[in-house]
Amino acid sequence: MPNKKKLTSLEAVNEIRNKDNGQVVLVLQGGGALGAYQGGVYQALHEARVEPDWIIGTSIGAINASLIAGNKVGDRLSRVQEFWRRVERSVLWIPGAPEVADALSTCAQRVRIP
């Protein structure tokens, strides 16, 4: 079996895109606590220079998706990080649901945001 060259993440994605019109789709589900982790997933893709062709989200995933899709590539990560910093530092706007605010804040603190 011939040795295949090990591809970088970006090279692998470009190979997928070039075969059969492949696309990179970032799907972000709902669930408030997952939202902060989704920011970390996008950060990893961004640092690997892999930008999604499509972004789909539901609930908190839709908020993250809109922050990503609604900004220029160079501004996307900072906008997502700023949103989660604000969630972490402020009282959430959901009256009567402090447990949701606590859960989001805890998750936001665990995500590496330089």
Side-chain angles (χ1 to χ4, degrees):
M1 183 157 48
N3 287 338
K4 279 188 106 176
K5 176 187 167 204
K6 182 168 168 85
L7 302 175
T8 67
S9 298
L10 183 59
E11 289 170 336
V13 166
N14 286 333
E15 187 171 298
I16 290 168
R17 284 182 169 145
N18 291 332
K19 287 184 180 179
D20 301 320
N21 296 319
Q23 296 182 346
V24 175
V25 180
L26 179 59
V27 180
L28 305 173
Q29 70 185 45
L34 293 174
Y37 290 103
Q38 294 169 354
V41 168
Y42 177 72
Q43 180 176 352
L45 289 170
H46 182 78
E47 288 173 355
R49 298 183 324 160
V50 175
E51 292 298 328
D53 299 301
W54 292 86
I55 306 168
I56 302 164
T58 270
S59 191
I60 194 65
I63 293 171
N64 282 327
S66 68
L67 290 166
I68 296 166
N71 285 287
K72 294 178 184 174
V73 171
D75 296 332
R76 290 174 172 178
L77 184 58
S78 65
R79 300 300 171 123
V80 170
Q81 290 171 334
E82 179 59 27
F83 172 79
W84 285 102
R85 279 190 196 101
R86 288 180 183 209
V87 169
E88 175 185 6
R89 293 182 185 150
S90 65
V91 176
L92 200 58
W93 55 90
I94 303 172
E99 62 279 353
V100 173
D102 289 343
L104 285 173
S105 179
T106 299
C107 289
Q109 291 172 15
R110 292 182 182 170
V111 173
R112 187 187 114 227
I113 300 176

PDB file of all heavy atoms in Angstrom, residues 10-24 53:
ATOM      1  N   LEU A  10      -6.602  22.109   6.546  1.00  0.00           N
ATOM      2  CA  LEU A  10      -7.041  22.926   5.424  1.00  0.00           C
ATOM      3  C   LEU A  10      -6.926  22.170   4.111  1.00  0.00           C
ATOM      4  O   LEU A  10      -7.824  22.224   3.271  1.00  0.00           O
ATOM      5  CB  LEU A  10      -6.253  24.229   5.374  1.00  0.00           C
ATOM      6  CG  LEU A  10      -6.650  25.211   4.283  1.00  0.00           C
ATOM      7  CD1 LEU A  10      -8.113  25.621   4.430  1.00  0.00           C
ATOM      8  CD2 LEU A  10      -5.753  26.438   4.325  1.00  0.00           C
ATOM      9  N   GLU A  11      -5.849  21.440   3.926  1.00  0.00           N
ATOM     10  CA  GLU A  11      -5.678  20.658   2.694  1.00  0.00           C
ATOM     11  C   GLU A  11      -6.751  19.575   2.587  1.00  0.00           C
ATOM     12  O   GLU A  11      -7.309  19.348   1.509  1.00  0.00           O
ATOM     13  CB  GLU A  11      -4.289  20.015   2.654  1.00  0.00           C
ATOM     14  CG  GLU A  11      -3.167  21.000   2.437  1.00  0.00           C
ATOM     15  CD  GLU A  11      -1.789  20.385   2.642  1.00  0.00           C
ATOM     16  OE1 GLU A  11      -1.667  19.378   3.369  1.00  0.00           O
ATOM     17  OE2 GLU A  11      -0.828  20.929   2.081  1.00  0.00           O
ATOM     18  N   ALA A  12      -7.072  18.932   3.695  1.00  0.00           N
ATOM     19  CA  ALA A  12      -8.093  17.895   3.694  1.00  0.00           C
ATOM     20  C   ALA A  12      -9.460  18.473   3.334  1.00  0.00           C
ATOM     21  O   ALA A  12     -10.210  17.897   2.548  1.00  0.00           O
ATOM     22  CB  ALA A  12      -8.150  17.205   5.053  1.00  0.00           C
ATOM     23  N   VAL A  13      -9.774  19.636   3.908  1.00  0.00           N
ATOM     24  CA  VAL A  13     -11.050  20.284   3.601  1.00  0.00           C
ATOM     25  C   VAL A  13     -11.104  20.688   2.133  1.00  0.00           C
ATOM     26  O   VAL A  13     -12.115  20.477   1.465  1.00  0.00           O
ATOM     27  CB  VAL A  13     -11.279  21.505   4.520  1.00  0.00           C
ATOM     28  CG1 VAL A  13     -12.409  22.380   4.017  1.00  0.00           C
ATOM     29  CG2 VAL A  13     -11.548  21.053   5.939  1.00  0.00           C
ATOM     30  N   ASN A  14     -10.026  21.242   1.626  1.00  0.00           N
ATOM     31  CA  ASN A  14     -10.007  21.645   0.213  1.00  0.00           C
ATOM     32  C   ASN A  14     -10.132  20.437  -0.710  1.00  0.00           C
ATOM     33  O   ASN A  14     -10.762  20.521  -1.763  1.00  0.00           O
ATOM     34  CB  ASN A  14      -8.759  22.457  -0.104  1.00  0.00           C
ATOM     35  CG  ASN A  14      -8.855  23.860   0.464  1.00  0.00           C
ATOM     36  OD1 ASN A  14      -9.944  24.393   0.644  1.00  0.00           O
ATOM     37  ND2 ASN A  14      -7.708  24.447   0.755  1.00  0.00           N
ATOM     38  N   GLU A  15      -9.569  19.312  -0.315  1.00  0.00           N
ATOM     39  CA  GLU A  15      -9.705  18.095  -1.121  1.00  0.00           C
ATOM     40  C   GLU A  15     -11.170  17.647  -1.143  1.00  0.00           C
ATOM     41  O   GLU A  15     -11.700  17.276  -2.191  1.00  0.00           O
ATOM     42  CB  GLU A  15      -8.820  16.983  -0.542  1.00  0.00           C
ATOM     43  CG  GLU A  15      -8.777  15.754  -1.412  1.00  0.00           C
ATOM     44  CD  GLU A  15      -7.741  14.750  -0.942  1.00  0.00           C
ATOM     45  OE1 GLU A  15      -6.555  15.098  -0.928  1.00  0.00           O
ATOM     46  OE2 GLU A  15      -8.153  13.618  -0.601  1.00  0.00           O
ATOM     47  N   ILE A  16     -11.828  17.715   0.006  1.00  0.00           N
ATOM     48  CA  ILE A  16     -13.261  17.367   0.068  1.00  0.00           C
ATOM     49  C   ILE A  16     -14.070  18.330  -0.793  1.00  0.00           C
ATOM     50  O   ILE A  16     -14.966  17.925  -1.534  1.00  0.00           O
ATOM     51  CB  ILE A  16     -13.755  17.394   1.531  1.00  0.00           C
ATOM     52  CG1 ILE A  16     -13.140  16.231   2.307  1.00  0.00           C
ATOM     53  CG2 ILE A  16     -15.284  17.355   1.603  1.00  0.00           C
ATOM     54  CD1 ILE A  16     -13.328  16.328   3.809  1.00  0.00           C
ATOM     55  N   ARG A  17     -13.757  19.621  -0.699  1.00  0.00           N
ATOM     56  CA  ARG A  17     -14.492  20.611  -1.494  1.00  0.00           C
ATOM     57  C   ARG A  17     -14.307  20.392  -2.991  1.00  0.00           C
ATOM     58  O   ARG A  17     -15.224  20.626  -3.777  1.00  0.00           O
ATOM     59  CB  ARG A  17     -14.036  22.025  -1.120  1.00  0.00           C
ATOM     60  CG  ARG A  17     -14.601  22.512   0.191  1.00  0.00           C
ATOM     61  CD  ARG A  17     -14.155  23.918   0.493  1.00  0.00           C
ATOM     62  NE  ARG A  17     -14.903  24.461   1.615  1.00  0.00           N
ATOM     63  CZ  ARG A  17     -14.396  25.283   2.504  1.00  0.00           C
ATOM     64  NH1 ARG A  17     -13.142  25.688   2.414  1.00  0.00           N
ATOM     65  NH2 ARG A  17     -15.145  25.730   3.492  1.00  0.00           N
ATOM     66  N   ASN A  18     -13.130  19.966  -3.391  1.00  0.00           N
ATOM     67  CA  ASN A  18     -12.847  19.786  -4.815  1.00  0.00           C
ATOM     68  C   ASN A  18     -13.441  18.509  -5.391  1.00  0.00           C
ATOM     69  O   ASN A  18     -13.631  18.409  -6.592  1.00  0.00           O
ATOM     70  CB  ASN A  18     -11.339  19.817  -5.055  1.00  0.00           C
ATOM     71  CG  ASN A  18     -10.754  21.200  -4.823  1.00  0.00           C
ATOM     72  OD1 ASN A  18     -11.430  22.205  -4.994  1.00  0.00           O
ATOM     73  ND2 ASN A  18      -9.504  21.243  -4.395  1.00  0.00           N
ATOM     74  N   LYS A  19     -13.715  17.521  -4.563  1.00  0.00           N
ATOM     75  CA  LYS A  19     -14.315  16.269  -5.024  1.00  0.00           C
ATOM     76  C   LYS A  19     -15.827  16.397  -4.936  1.00  0.00           C
ATOM     77  O   LYS A  19     -16.374  16.676  -3.877  1.00  0.00           O
ATOM     78  CB  LYS A  19     -13.866  15.100  -4.150  1.00  0.00           C
ATOM     79  CG  LYS A  19     -12.445  14.687  -4.371  1.00  0.00           C
ATOM     80  CD  LYS A  19     -12.126  13.472  -3.530  1.00  0.00           C
ATOM     81  CE  LYS A  19     -10.701  13.048  -3.753  1.00  0.00           C
ATOM     82  NZ  LYS A  19     -10.356  11.884  -2.933  1.00  0.00           N
ATOM     83  N   ASP A  20     -16.503  16.171  -6.012  1.00  0.00           N
ATOM     84  CA  ASP A  20     -17.970  16.137  -6.038  1.00  0.00           C
ATOM     85  C   ASP A  20     -18.601  17.388  -5.439  1.00  0.00           C
ATOM     86  O   ASP A  20     -19.631  17.312  -4.774  1.00  0.00           O
ATOM     87  CB  ASP A  20     -18.493  14.900  -5.295  1.00  0.00           C
ATOM     88  CG  ASP A  20     -17.981  13.615  -5.914  1.00  0.00           C
ATOM     89  OD1 ASP A  20     -17.930  13.545  -7.161  1.00  0.00           O
ATOM     90  OD2 ASP A  20     -17.622  12.702  -5.163  1.00  0.00           O
ATOM     91  N   ASN A  21     -17.978  18.528  -5.634  1.00  0.00           N
ATOM     92  CA  ASN A  21     -18.520  19.780  -5.105  1.00  0.00           C
ATOM     93  C   ASN A  21     -18.833  19.715  -3.613  1.00  0.00           C
ATOM     94  O   ASN A  21     -19.864  20.190  -3.155  1.00  0.00           O
ATOM     95  CB  ASN A  21     -19.775  20.212  -5.873  1.00  0.00           C
ATOM     96  CG  ASN A  21     -19.449  20.514  -7.317  1.00  0.00           C
ATOM     97  OD1 ASN A  21     -18.425  21.126  -7.602  1.00  0.00           O
ATOM     98  ND2 ASN A  21     -20.290  20.080  -8.227  1.00  0.00           N
ATOM     99  N   GLY A  22     -17.958  19.122  -2.845  1.00  0.00           N
ATOM    100  CA  GLY A  22     -18.150  19.003  -1.399  1.00  0.00           C
ATOM    101  C   GLY A  22     -18.193  20.367  -0.723  1.00  0.00           C
ATOM    102  O   GLY A  22     -17.640  21.346  -1.224  1.00  0.00           O
ATOM    103  N   GLN A  23     -18.887  20.417   0.404  1.00  0.00           N
ATOM    104  CA  GLN A  23     -19.009  21.654   1.154  1.00  0.00           C
ATOM    105  C   GLN A  23     -18.819  21.377   2.635  1.00  0.00           C
ATOM    106  O   GLN A  23     -19.094  20.272   3.111  1.00  0.00           O
ATOM    107  CB  GLN A  23     -20.377  22.294   0.927  1.00  0.00           C
ATOM    108  CG  GLN A  23     -20.599  22.708  -0.505  1.00  0.00           C
ATOM    109  CD  GLN A  23     -21.938  23.381  -0.704  1.00  0.00           C
ATOM    110  OE1 GLN A  23     -22.812  23.329   0.127  1.00  0.00           O
ATOM    111  NE2 GLN A  23     -22.086  24.038  -1.842  1.00  0.00           N
ATOM    112  N   VAL A  24     -18.388  22.392   3.356  1.00  0.00           N
ATOM    113  CA  VAL A  24     -18.252  22.310   4.804  1.00  0.00           C
ATOM    114  C   VAL A  24     -19.472  22.983   5.411  1.00  0.00           C
ATOM    115  O   VAL A  24     -19.759  24.142   5.129  1.00  0.00           O
ATOM    116  CB  VAL A  24     -16.961  23.014   5.288  1.00  0.00           C
ATOM    117  CG1 VAL A  24     -16.894  23.027   6.801  1.00  0.00           C
ATOM    118  CG2 VAL A  24     -15.735  22.332   4.689  1.00  0.00           C
ATOM    119  N   ASP A  53     -18.964  26.689   4.511  1.00  0.00           N
ATOM    120  CA  ASP A  53     -19.722  27.192   3.372  1.00  0.00           C
ATOM    121  C   ASP A  53     -21.162  27.488   3.777  1.00  0.00           C
ATOM    122  O   ASP A  53     -21.800  28.371   3.219  1.00  0.00           O
ATOM    123  CB  ASP A  53     -19.717  26.153   2.234  1.00  0.00           C
ATOM    124  CG  ASP A  53     -18.310  25.866   1.759  1.00  0.00           C
ATOM    125  OD1 ASP A  53     -17.629  26.802   1.319  1.00  0.00           O
ATOM    126  OD2 ASP A  53     -17.878  24.697   1.853  1.00  0.00           O
TER     127      ASP A  53
END
